Amino acid sequence: MYYAKYMLHRDDPPREFASEEARMKALNHQVRPAADVARILDKVQVPNILWGTMAAYLVGDWRHYNEDIQFLVLDDLIQTASNALFAAGFTTCTDPGCDVVKTVKNDYLIPPVHFHIQALYPEHDVLRLYPKSSHLWWLPDFGTSTPAADDPHLMLSNDPRLPPYKPEGMSGPWTELYPIKILNRSSFTEAVLLLCFRDFDHANGLYFQWLDLINAAKMHPEGITLRPKFQAMWEEFTLPKEQLRRRRWEPVVELMKEMRANNELPPPPRINWFGTVEGAERARAWF
């Protein structure tokens, strides 16, 4: 899926720019909706984190086409967040037939709240709000204040410690817009690995998205340091092709099986991406 998306958009704007001004103009245009959402949610004291492909711009894969925007908020504040965004001009979608809430061939978790935002941001599509526990069950609750310099997981999107822009890589810090709370590159990578371990080969199909984000982090692994449980696997997984001594994904699968055997993961969401039990079984996916 990752490579299919990439190939589909090969004719999008080049990843190198004539000037720094041109680069920042393109970047600001893409991420401004996320900055606006963060500002609105921070104003009403709803702790939030940018998630998904747009967050991956800072991790290792700035794509020049626009993805849906995803935010995670504390579980008990979803409605407060929704109300604040509605008051700011975002229209909540309540259509039961909307593609965002379909359960078949939908590789996104169904959000409790979503907004179609093309009227506000013509080149963007959907804003999805999720409870933090659906993606980051392991992360302690947090507030709206700026993360401390030594915070092990959180930082802001304008943090100068983020790696600079690199063609075919990171977008560089978002220095000209309202700062957005994000996971640092290492915690983002661990988060996606945990989600993949939870959902891989399950009928919910969510692992398609997690594989996408793992590949985004793998593109530029330098500077990503994981907890000891993950680090050896990550180092082997990200070796250059000529240094591999076994199939690239084998260390990932080994750790996944170990964590599943030790009951270290929550149960996967019970959604059937394949539509029927028979379809899931043919794909060797289970519930």
Side-chain angles (χ1 to χ4, degrees):
M1 179 179 177
Y2 176 85
Y3 293 106
K5 280 185 177 181
Y6 180 77
M7 294 298 291
L8 181 64
H9 296 273
R10 285 289 292 273
D11 294 329
D12 277 59
R15 296 202 176 202
E16 295 191 50
F17 298 89
S19 66
E20 178 65 6
E21 181 181 5
R23 182 184 75 83
M24 290 305 299
K25 181 178 180 181
L27 176 62
N28 291 342
H29 182 70
Q30 279 191 300
V31 303
R32 185 176 302 280
D36 290 348
V37 170
R39 176 180 49 78
I40 292 165
L41 297 183
D42 285 352
K43 185 176 181 180
V44 295
Q45 294 295 298
V46 173
N48 60 89
I49 291 179
L50 179 65
W51 178 253
T53 303
M54 188 169 284
Y57 292 178
L58 294 156
V59 175
D61 185 21
W62 178 19
R63 305 177 186 185
H64 284 241
Y65 56 94
N66 293 306
E67 289 284 328
D68 293 348
I69 302 167
Q70 302 176 55
F71 272 83
L72 312 179
V73 304
L74 298 191
D75 291 35
D76 60 344
L77 293 177
I78 285 279
Q79 192 57 54
T80 303
S82 178
N83 293 344
L85 289 164
F86 180 79
F90 291 76
T91 302
T92 312
C93 178
T94 58
D95 178 7
C98 177
D99 284 347
V100 174
V101 298
K102 71 181 183 180
T103 58
V104 177
K105 295 187 178 179
N106 181 2
D107 55 359
Y108 288 94
L109 187 64
I110 297 171
V113 179
H114 74 277
F115 307 82
H116 296 275
I117 60 175
Q118 286 180 321
L120 295 172
Y121 308 99
E123 294 188 8
H124 294 75
D125 187 12
V126 178
L127 165 63
R128 306 166 191 259
L129 294 185
Y130 292 103
K132 176 184 75 70
S133 64
S134 64
H135 292 68
L136 306 179
W137 60 87
W138 51 269
L139 183 71
D141 283 354
F142 53 92
T144 54
S145 59
T146 298
D150 61 350
D151 190 296
H153 303 297
L154 302 176
M155 64 193 312
L156 294 178
S157 57
N158 63 352
D159 196 307
R161 293 174 296 173
L162 286 163
Y165 164 68
K166 185 172 185 176
E168 303 291 335
M170 287 72 73
S171 67
W174 304 347
T175 55
E176 298 181 3
L177 297 172
Y178 184 89
I180 309 166
K181 195 173 273 91
I182 58 170
L183 291 174
N184 63 45
R185 295 177 72 231
S186 298
S187 291
F188 180 92
T189 302
E190 280 197 23
V192 177
L193 286 166
L194 285 166
L195 287 163
C196 187
F197 291 176
R198 183 193 70 180
D199 295 327
F200 187 72
D201 276 350
H202 280 286
N204 60 42
L206 299 176
Y207 57 89
F208 294 134
Q209 183 183 168
W210 313 142
L211 294 177
D212 233 21
L213 296 178
I214 289 172
N215 276 308
K218 181 176 72 67
M219 288 176 67
H220 295 281
E222 56 277 7
I224 295 177
T225 303
L226 309 184
R227 287 178 293 163
K229 186 177 192 70
F230 296 91
Q231 185 62 25
M233 173 275 293
W234 183 248
E235 290 176 0
E236 183 178 359
F237 176 64
T238 55
L239 283 171
K241 183 178 180 180
E242 61 273 12
Q243 296 180 28
L244 291 174
R245 297 184 178 180
R246 54 177 174 163
R247 293 181 180 177
R248 185 175 299 281
W249 285 90
E250 284 187 28
V252 180
V253 173
E254 282 182 359
L255 182 56
M256 177 187 73
K257 289 181 176 178
E258 175 189 320
M259 294 186 70
R260 286 181 173 181
N262 293 335
N263 294 315
E264 297 179 59
L265 301 164
R270 291 181 62 83
I271 304 166
N272 189 352
W273 185 91
F274 301 92
T276 65
V277 172
E278 294 76 16
E281 289 176 341
R282 284 195 297 271
R284 297 183 179 179
W286 65 89
F287 296 92

